Amino acid sequence: MIVRHRILRLGTLPSSRYFSSFESTVKLPTGIAYRQPTGLFISNEFGASNDGKQLTTYNPRSGKPIANVFVAGSPDVDYAVQTAESALRSWRTTSGTDRGILLYRLCRLIEEHKTLLGSIEAFDTGKPLDTVVADDIQDCINVTRYYAGWADKIHGYSIQPFAEKFAYTLHEPFGVCALIVPWNYPLMLALWKLAPAIAAGNTVVLKPSELTPLSSLYLGNLITEAGFPPGVVNILSGDGNTGAVLASHPRINKISFTGSATTGKKIMHAAASNLIPVVLELGGKSAAIIFEDADLEQAVKWCYSGIMSNSGQICSATSRILIQESIYKKFVEMFKAYTIHRMSADPLDHGPQISDVQLEKVMQYVRSGIEEGAHLVYGGKEIIGPGYFMQPTIFADVRDHMKIAQEEVFGPVVVMDKFTTQSDAIQRANSSTYGLASAIFTKSLTLAVDTSQKLEVGMVWVNSSQDSDFRVPFGGFKMSGFGQELGEYAVKNYLRPKAVHLNLGVSL
Amino acid sequence: MSSTASVPLFQKFKLPNGVEYEQPLGLFINGEFVTGKEGKAFEVVNPSTGNVVGKVHEATAADVDIAVDAAETAFYDGPWSKMSSADRGHLLLKLADLFEENLTILASIEAFDNGKAIQLAKGDIGACIGCLRYYGGWADKIHGKVIETNSGSFNFTKQEPIGVCGQIIPWNFPLLMWAWKIGPAIACGNTVVLKTAEQTPLGGLFAAKLCKEAGFPPGVINILSGFGRTAGAAIASHMKIHKVAFTGSTLVGRQIMKAAAESNLKKVTLELGGKSPNIVFEDADIDRAVEWINFGIYYNAGQCCCAGSRVYVQESIYDKVIEAFRKRAQANVVGNPFDEATFQGAQVSEAQYNRIMSYVELGKKEGAKVEVGGERHGNEGYFIKPTVFSNVTEDMRIMQEEIFGPVCAIAKFKDLDDAISKGNSTTYGLASAVHTGSLSTAMEVANRLRAGTVWVNSYNTLHWALPFGGYGESGIGRELGKEALRNYTQVKTVSINLS
């Protein structure tokens, strides 16, 4: 019997009066103080972990601690899954329209709390505040609203193979879905999973990264205020062990994971023991291909954003640029000049790495690049001072065999090389073990369409990079994982068809 | 029709239930309420009393021209033409929220202008909200396809909006019909010129005000009060309107289609009349079936295109059913729409009242027996007692023609084949129902009835997610559900040669 000490909270208190003893007051860099939930969110209540274990989350801009949150252990995961499972009983009878209404309310609440959520996220991830509010949180609003609209538009099929058989398919939710999200877009990726899962009628156990738990825990307040029945959404802060316990739990019905390929494999392995279906959104080493007829100025800007945004901590980053030889030198110079221009305006504008561990990993790759003989065009150094900053780094003449050409660096490090023909570029881009995304820069219609068709990737951007859209599917091939997020495709991830045959006249 | 000399653009109304609000009276064109070009106005009557309660400005062909120009400009230039699909949807969601905030006012206007019971009017507004929110959610989910043919080409389709859509709605569910039309047309990116029924102009104008409040750019939604033979005809034959959607009588539906063909072959969808069969098998739950028979014909005072106006009961249970139905029909509370206990309000107008009563007289002449009703209710307003005819034959006019009032005919059937034969003996095909406890009966009847909707063990249970429309002379096309999006998009195929 797990003893839980929880304070009952009414679900309808306005945000300024959320009260629970599992909160601490956090003062944001903007000067505003707010009450940050620190407990595990189960059944619309925050509570301590069973063993009281906690972890600390840090501000990557200063290296200083922000708050302690509880770490969910086995008994907590167990309790959350049980709760999510019991909630299914009545959640199953909730109409799609009503699920949609709850999601529309959640969307409105996120919008009302846009600045606060953005501030929490910026504080916990180190991202620039303006970008987080305008991009990440806006995306949260858009995604939640989009999936609210799908909730009552889930259609099965009716199939009449012959007169005596009438068949139909019911597209049913899986049940309890485990959603495990990383630290690079904490709240946004949480909603990319939560919104379609809920729209499809599932209940969820969401586990944010140990590096960035705050925004997801705060979301618990909004879940309750929106009026979701207790147990439909559960949020467990925790560490790698929490994720492992969750992924191997026998009573979950589906896992959706975003993170590294290494952890992805572990998740899939854990899921195999109970044959739980899995969606994996993993890493990438996405190539940007610059053809000689490209608008070079635009290509440089998009490619800069394609690797330096979020300090290179994007799964779909176009971190590897292949440039047609006739424009190679020019492109490298223009990219360098643009980088210098950005740095002169704000040397920290790409933001910090999320942690000291991550920073060291990236610097290791920088060192290996130098060792293996790549040409360091710009950067390559840590930025001395508080926080986990390093310089945007440009390597040129990076040959395919080099570590920095093959492995995901996940930092503001771009590698460049030249190519000869279209098929050369395609072959080299496809030689990656990953297959998440690609960007093509060209003015030619045929080149764009033809190259897109030949690249072994889940997403191709033509004349842009990283401008994903919540209405368009997002996902990869090969070691980048499987299963699409976003668009209509995401809803399908959270549904499984049941075929019903009505015998209308066949007698034995 | 009289002049607008003393007709303002807005007027404070106080309704019988005490609700006070500002009622727009002008034509809503290009984001503003305006007077008609020809300075005309017409009377609004409260059917519960028969009294004139005010006037609204009247749109003529000249105003239709102005509205179409505004809608065309809004479609090709300006913010609507550049708006993302999600933003369009968001506006519809906001409109749904505004309907929700103004539920009491909207329901009260409906009860006042149409004469329907306030409890039913509230239900209508709830359905409006559901419908608008539903289509708000579709706006950014309208996808084309990518289709492989051979490796030398890349092909895709797009579902594009049509442009300026003309919409003509009836008086039986003024606001609900408004929402059914506006929702999908707007979700697909079109702009609209919508003409309300001359019997019930008030709700649509208040809703127009809400459109402005929601933030729709000027010209996207234009609402005109007016008459069919002037404004309606102008819409049906307008050269710049590329789609017309009409709900109303079959007679007028034919005229609309003719006008569409003779002008610019604009796309046409029609939701017309019906003479829908309501079939009760001996293994049905009889008490429940009687409730559904009652609801099927007397809901909205019988003013439903899909009303179950022909009731067929299996002979073994006929006597039991008719006895129960007689009692049930007479138990309906008929009267003041603003009384919360009222189920059946007034017929919408004197003309409709007269028409229905003439069918009642006709039925008697044709030899049918009046089981209950068959006469006026009360001394004031256009109320008719729930009426049941028995002893009917299939060829009687009261069995073939749509009466559109609280009048049904009840007859027997032998077996399943007989029920289906009788059910299908109509030129219409809008709706139908079968009441039975048997799965195979339900499935077989559902398969064999020639009707756009088959209800099993219910009646009139429409939902915005379920397509609705007619077989035969009940119409062309389907409203509601994802199907409605077809009415407001056209497919463009783009085929790119790569070789």
Side-chain angles (χ1 to χ4, degrees):
Chain A
M1 164 77 187
I2 298 164
V3 178
R4 313 217 62 83
H5 298 289
R6 292 176 172 277
I7 291 183
L8 260 173
R9 176 152 47 72
L10 298 169
T12 53
L13 287 176
S15 58
S16 59
R17 298 209 304 275
Y18 297 128
F19 169 73
S20 149
S21 68
F22 302 100
E23 286 181 343
S24 31
T25 304
V26 168
K27 192 160 177 211
L28 296 162
T30 50
I32 296 171
Y34 76 100
R35 301 282 294 159
Q36 168 66 48
T38 55
L40 309 177
F41 183 74
I42 303 176
S43 214
N44 287 7
E45 294 172 2
F46 288 100
S49 59
N50 196 54
D51 61 6
K53 185 169 172 212
Q54 295 192 319
L55 63 82
T56 307
T57 184
Y58 296 85
N59 171 7
R61 284 189 175 254
S62 63
K64 296 209 175 99
I66 302 175
N68 292 337
V69 301
F70 284 94
V71 175
S74 285
D76 307 301
V77 171
D78 218 44
Y79 181 53
V81 172
Q82 247 183 75
T83 305
E85 200 174 28
S86 336
L88 275 173
R89 251 175 268 133
S90 64
W91 187 236
R92 278 225 153 92
T93 63
T94 307
S95 71
T97 301
D98 288 343
R99 295 197 301 266
I101 287 173
L102 288 171
L103 284 169
Y104 279 127
R105 273 195 216 148
L106 181 62
C107 165
R108 230 169 285 142
L109 287 167
I110 296 173
E111 201 161 24
E112 279 165 36
H113 290 74
K114 197 175 178 185
T115 310
L116 176 59
L117 285 168
S119 307
I120 297 170
E121 195 82 313
F123 199 23
D124 209 6
T125 61
K127 298 187 207 220
L129 176 62
D130 294 342
T131 314
V132 174
V133 173
D135 297 349
D136 298 20
I137 309 301
Q138 186 57 49
D139 198 72
C140 293
I141 294 163
N142 294 342
V143 161
T144 309
R145 183 179 295 132
Y146 179 76
Y147 288 107
W150 269 122
D152 61 356
K153 299 172 178 63
I154 293 167
H155 304 145
Y157 293 95
S158 75
I159 308 159
Q160 181 117 43
F162 50 92
E164 290 81 16
K165 180 185 285 288
F166 176 73
Y168 57 91
T169 56
L170 296 168
H171 287 188
E172 302 188 334
F174 277 91
V176 179
C177 297
L179 313 177
I180 302 172
V181 298
W183 45 259
N184 58 340
Y185 292 91
L187 191 62
M188 195 181 93
L189 294 177
L191 285 161
W192 278 25
K193 295 188 195 303
L194 190 151
I198 294 294
N202 298 280
T203 56
V204 309
V205 178
L206 168 71
K207 186 216 157 282
S209 163
E210 68 212 78
L211 297 174
T212 53
L214 302 183
S215 55
S216 293
L217 288 175
Y218 194 90
L219 188 69
N221 285 335
L222 306 185
I223 293 288
T224 308
E225 193 177 341
F228 283 92
V232 170
V233 177
N234 306 280
I235 305 167
L236 303 179
S237 39
D239 52 20
N241 180 59
T242 312
V245 171
L246 186 54
S248 54
H249 200 287
R251 305 211 52 84
I252 59 171
N253 308 108
K254 175 88 188 199
I255 301 174
S256 181
F257 168 82
T258 298
S260 69
T262 316
T263 312
K265 286 188 201 173
K266 291 192 193 141
I267 298 278
M268 196 167 170
H269 209 81
S273 52
N274 296 306
L275 282 179
I276 307 293
V278 175
V279 163
L280 299 176
E281 295 288 341
L282 308 175
K285 190 75 187 187
S286 305
I289 302 174
I290 323 288
F291 287 98
E292 58 196 4
D293 70 336
D295 175 337
L296 281 192
E297 201 194 315
Q298 279 299 300
V300 162
K301 287 181 174 167
W302 281 108
C303 287
Y304 183 88
S305 168
I307 180 56
M308 303 307 176
S309 310
N310 220 40
S311 18
Q313 300 169 132
I314 316 173
C315 48
S316 55
T318 39
S319 48
R320 182 180 172 209
I321 312 181
L322 300 172
I323 304 125
Q324 199 146 30
E325 52 187 344
S326 57
I327 46 156
Y328 178 62
K329 260 186 150 164
K330 184 155 189 224
F331 183 89
V332 174
E333 272 159 26
M334 285 174 72
F335 197 99
K336 179 180 176 180
Y338 186 71
T339 308
I340 291 169
H341 164 74
R342 291 291 291 257
M343 290 299 97
S344 63
D346 177 6
L348 301 181
D349 107 334
H350 50 291
Q353 305 320 111
I354 189 68
S355 65
D356 48 355
V357 168
Q358 276 299 119
L359 175 60
E360 178 47 32
K361 272 196 191 151
V362 180
M363 289 309 297
Q364 236 307 92
Y365 277 109
V366 173
R367 287 192 283 275
S368 105
I370 295 169
E371 269 160 45
E372 288 191 295
H375 171 211
L376 180 65
V377 172
Y378 182 91
K381 292 196 173 63
E382 283 182 43
I383 296 175
I384 308 301
Y388 316 123
F389 291 90
M390 60 177 283
Q391 293 177 304
T393 300
I394 307 170
F395 279 106
D397 306 334
V398 177
R399 306 294 168 219
D400 291 2
H401 67 271
M402 294 179 185
K403 232 173 145 200
I404 56 171
Q406 299 195 355
E407 295 181 26
E408 188 181 38
V409 174
F410 223 65
V413 178
V414 66
V415 307
M416 301 187 190
D417 200 11
K418 61 167 97 84
F419 72 85
T420 50
T421 59
Q422 179 205 17
S423 45
D424 176 29
I426 292 172
Q427 185 268 319
R428 289 167 69 190
N430 287 344
S431 69
S432 171
T433 52
Y434 291 108
L436 187 47
S438 197
I440 303 169
F441 292 86
T442 175
K443 293 193 184 109
S444 156
L445 171 65
T446 340
L447 213 46
V449 174
D450 190 55
T451 311
S452 311
Q453 274 162 335
K454 293 179 170 144
L455 286 167
E456 289 163 13
V457 292
M459 300 181 283
V460 181
W461 286 291
V462 177
N463 293 328
S464 69
S465 179
Q466 305 317 301
D467 54 340
S468 329
D469 188 288
F470 57 95
R471 294 155 282 203
V472 181
F474 183 106
F477 301 169
K478 304 187 322 194
M479 293 302 283
S480 295
F482 46 86
Q484 304 334 91
E485 305 215 86
L486 299 183
E488 180 177 5
Y489 293 75
V491 188
K492 291 183 203 262
N493 273 342
Y494 294 102
L495 295 166
R496 52 187 184 187
K498 171 190 287 171
V500 180
H501 301 241
L502 297 183
N503 181 5
L504 300 178
V506 177
S507 307
L508 297 177
Chain B
M1 282 128 272
S2 44
S3 81
T4 53
S6 54
V7 182
L9 290 174
F10 299 89
Q11 189 161 28
K12 284 251 174 332
F13 269 46
K14 188 172 179 183
L15 300 180
N17 60 353
V19 166
E20 286 188 64
Y21 71 103
E22 191 179 59
Q23 171 67 54
L25 304 174
L27 310 176
F28 186 68
I29 300 178
N30 209 27
E32 298 299 334
F33 287 97
V34 296
T35 58
K37 266 266 128 179
E38 291 176 38
K40 286 182 162 168
F42 63 93
E43 289 174 344
V44 181
V45 175
N46 172 2
S48 306
T49 59
N51 296 334
V52 173
V53 296
K55 287 190 187 154
V56 294
H57 292 264
E58 181 189 335
T60 60
D63 302 298
V64 171
D65 280 342
I66 298 171
V68 170
D69 282 343
E72 198 179 47
T73 306
F75 183 74
Y76 289 107
D77 299 307
W80 186 247
S81 63
K82 302 179 186 67
M83 205 177 277
S84 77
S85 55
D87 287 344
R88 289 199 304 258
H90 195 194
L91 287 174
L92 277 171
L93 295 175
K94 281 196 202 161
L95 184 59
D97 289 345
L98 286 168
F99 264 63
E100 201 159 29
E101 280 164 44
N102 288 275
L103 195 147
T104 305
I105 294 177
L106 288 163
S108 304
I109 295 174
E110 211 73 331
F112 184 58
D113 203 7
N114 166 283
K116 67 173 73 193
I118 189 79
Q119 50 151 311
L120 265 54
K122 285 181 189 166
D124 283 10
I125 308 308
C128 290
I129 295 162
C131 178
L132 291 170
R133 201 168 270 155
Y134 178 78
Y135 286 106
W138 266 123
D140 58 1
K141 300 171 178 65
I142 299 170
H143 306 146
K145 293 194 209 274
V146 170
I147 305 166
E148 255 194 61
T149 51
N150 54 64
S151 61
S153 70
F154 169 60
N155 316 298
F156 61 91
T157 60
K158 287 186 67 192
Q159 305 260 60
E160 300 193 333
I162 297 174
V164 180
C165 298
Q167 305 183 311
I168 301 169
I169 62 175
W171 45 258
N172 57 343
F173 292 89
L175 279 164
L176 187 57
M177 295 295 100
W178 189 103
W180 281 23
K181 298 266 183 294
I182 297 282
I186 294 299
C188 295
N190 300 282
T191 56
V192 313
V193 175
L194 183 149
K195 183 194 92 62
T196 54
E198 64 263 27
Q199 296 88 343
T200 52
L202 300 182
L205 292 176
F206 189 87
K209 181 175 95 85
L210 299 182
C211 290
K212 189 169 178 173
E213 215 179 304
F216 281 95
V220 174
I221 298 174
N222 303 279
I223 308 294
L224 307 179
S225 320
F227 291 80
R229 54 189 176 282
T230 47
I235 288 172
S237 57
H238 207 286
M239 295 304 286
K240 289 185 183 175
I241 291 179
H242 299 287
K243 156 77 196 198
V244 64
F246 170 79
T247 298
S249 70
T250 302
L251 181 73
V252 177
R254 289 185 208 278
Q255 293 166 7
I256 302 269
M257 198 168 171
K258 235 191 251 179
E262 283 168 6
S263 53
N264 62 351
L265 274 177
K266 54 174 68 59
K267 323 280 172 271
V268 179
T269 46
L270 304 171
E271 292 285 342
L272 307 176
K275 192 75 183 183
S276 304
N278 199 350
I279 304 170
V280 186
F281 279 83
E282 61 196 7
D283 64 354
D285 177 331
I286 292 179
D287 292 331
R288 288 231 182 102
V290 169
E291 276 303 315
W292 287 117
I293 296 171
N294 186 70
F295 189 70
I297 181 58
Y298 302 122
Y299 171 66
N300 214 45
Q303 300 170 130
C304 283
C305 42
C306 54
S309 47
R310 291 184 292 145
V311 182
Y312 294 105
V313 182
Q314 196 150 27
E315 42 190 25
S316 52
I317 52 163
Y318 178 83
D319 292 335
K320 198 170 173 202
V321 169
I322 200 168
E323 196 39 51
F325 184 35
R326 286 170 50 97
K327 285 204 191 79
R328 184 61 188 84
Q330 290 176 287
N332 288 312
V333 180
V334 181
N336 177 10
F338 286 97
D339 187 338
E340 293 281 337
T342 299
F343 169 70
Q344 182 182 313
Q347 307 314 121
V348 78
S349 66
E350 187 175 3
Q352 278 301 118
Y353 172 89
N354 289 337
R355 190 168 171 273
I356 297 160
M357 291 312 291
S358 73
Y359 270 106
V360 171
E361 292 315 305
L362 176 65
K364 291 175 189 167
K365 271 208 205 79
E366 285 186 309
K369 174 179 173 219
V370 176
E371 292 283 342
V372 293
E375 56 187 11
R376 189 184 191 190
H377 168 99
N379 301 317
E380 195 192 33
Y382 313 125
F383 298 87
I384 297 178
K385 290 187 179 164
T387 301
V388 182
F389 275 107
S390 63
N391 199 40
V392 290
T393 55
E394 289 298 308
D395 59 311
M396 284 182 184
R397 283 180 60 196
I398 58 164
M399 273 308 251
Q400 290 295 319
E401 296 175 27
E402 188 179 40
I403 298 173
F404 224 66
V407 178
C408 71
I410 185 165
K412 297 180 193 173
F413 72 88
K414 274 203 275 303
D415 55 20
L416 193 145
D417 286 333
D418 186 26
I420 295 203
S421 155
K422 291 189 158 90
N424 286 342
S425 71
T426 171
T427 53
Y428 289 113
L430 187 51
S432 60
V434 53
H435 304 270
T436 175
S438 151
L439 173 63
S440 55
T441 302
M443 292 306 297
E444 187 170 355
V445 173
N447 282 339
R448 291 172 63 188
L449 280 174
R450 310 265 320 142
T453 295
V454 182
W455 285 299
V456 179
N457 296 329
S458 75
Y459 208 96
N460 277 338
T461 50
L462 284 84
H463 190 280
W464 51 80
L466 300 177
F468 181 86
Y471 280 43
E473 293 181 20
S474 289
I476 297 174
R478 294 291 175 270
E479 298 205 275
L480 303 182
K482 190 179 181 187
E483 288 297 315
L485 302 176
R486 282 185 202 241
N487 299 338
Y488 294 102
T489 52
Q490 42 196 355
V491 177
K492 173 183 284 172
T493 295
V494 179
S495 179
I496 302 178
N497 182 10
L498 297 176
S499 55

